[in-house]
Amino acid sequence: NVEPYFITAGKDKRIALWKLENGDHNDNLKSGNILNVDLIQSTHTSTIQDISCSSDGDWVYSVGLDGRVCAHSLVQNKQYLLHHFKDKNSKNALNFSKESPIDSRVLLISQIGIPTKLHLWDRRVSSNPVISINASPTNTVYVIPSWSPNGRLISMGDVNGVISIWDIAYPVSQTQQSKSPMYLSYHQKRVFQTAWAPSNNVLVSISSDPKAQ
């Protein structure tokens, strides 16, 4: 595994890998020592909207307004273009990526548009998503989905205050929308994010009403 780090990215299409200087990283944080920065030139051609790390810390995933899904190996110091969304009938901008909590080879990707779509990406199979879900009929650029800890459920809010929950264990088909979600309506305004408790039976939501449910 690589050394402890955190990452940032943005409009310059580069990923900044921040590492603590030599020594114990807890001591460095307390003393405020300067961090070393490594800049990774990505294959993105537009703003990077989201970055996430693999559970082993060896990979960095990035998605952007250019519709690209990229993987950066910190061990091999190489980057790979996993997929490039080029749907002529839909906006291809991406704003979220995160690996499954139970399988590091599966990524959840959010595609901004009308409708907003969620894609499950499996690096072991083809170059196309294995499951695609029409998540919301509205453009939810500031709303992101969430995995449940057991990797079975996906939740996501929308601009109308409704939370949708999908059980991805039983899709209708591998290439079409999964079965109808369960809906929760506790908010009156946009739900930005949901988060699951480790027990899988409690879901917390944050909205602009402002309420936390």
Side-chain angles (χ1 to χ4, degrees):
N1 291 355
V2 298
E3 298 176 359
Y5 64 88
F6 67 90
I7 52 178
T8 58
K11 293 183 178 180
D12 63 357
K13 303 179 286 293
R14 295 189 296 180
I15 296 174
L17 181 67
W18 301 76
K19 295 182 180 179
L20 293 166
E21 292 182 338
N22 293 333
D24 183 84
H25 62 278
N26 290 323
D27 291 339
N28 280 325
L29 286 175
K30 293 177 182 178
S31 60
N33 288 352
I34 297 175
L35 304 177
N36 293 322
V37 181
D38 293 331
L39 295 178
I40 303 174
Q41 188 64 47
S42 72
T43 57
H44 288 284
T45 59
S46 187
T47 300
I48 298 175
Q49 286 290 100
D50 187 53
I51 47 179
S52 60
C53 299
S54 62
S55 55
D56 59 12
D58 292 343
W59 291 86
V60 174
Y61 301 106
S62 61
V63 295
L65 296 180
D66 55 4
R68 295 172 185 254
V69 183
C70 300
H72 313 267
S73 172
L74 301 181
V75 175
Q76 302 173 357
N77 195 26
K78 292 183 179 180
Q79 54 186 300
Y80 304 88
L81 177 61
L82 297 183
H83 189 67
H84 189 185
F85 288 89
K86 297 180 180 179
D87 187 350
K88 296 181 180 179
N89 299 319
S90 177
K91 189 175 181 179
N92 295 307
L94 309 174
N95 72 332
F96 177 86
S97 68
K98 190 173 182 62
E99 71 175 28
S100 165
I102 60 172
D103 191 337
S104 61
R105 296 162 297 190
V106 176
L107 289 176
L108 171 61
I109 300 167
S110 175
Q111 181 181 4
I112 308 167
I114 302 177
T116 293
K117 297 180 180 180
L118 300 179
H119 304 283
L120 284 184
W121 175 273
D122 192 330
R123 291 193 290 141
R124 296 167 295 182
V125 290
S126 66
S127 59
N128 296 315
V130 292
I131 298 176
S132 293
I133 301 170
N134 290 332
S136 172
T138 55
N139 192 333
T140 52
V141 62
Y142 299 111
V143 176
I144 60 175
S146 298
W147 283 106
S148 65
N150 62 9
R152 176 171 173 169
L153 303 176
I154 297 174
S155 59
M156 184 175 179
D158 66 15
V159 297
N160 299 314
V162 178
I163 300 170
S164 300
I165 301 176
W166 293 271
D167 187 343
I168 63 170
Y170 301 100
V172 174
S173 72
Q174 288 187 321
T175 58
Q176 301 297 325
Q177 180 175 337
S178 69
K179 68 177 184 179
S180 298
M182 178 175 68
Y183 297 106
L184 303 176
S185 300
Y186 297 122
H187 296 279
Q188 285 72 50
K189 295 184 179 180
R190 178 182 317 198
V191 178
F192 290 101
Q193 189 172 5
T194 57
W196 294 82
S199 59
N200 290 290
N201 60 2
V202 176
L203 181 66
V204 178
S205 57
I206 299 175
S207 171
S208 57
D209 1 41
K211 290 180 181 178
Q213 296 284 356

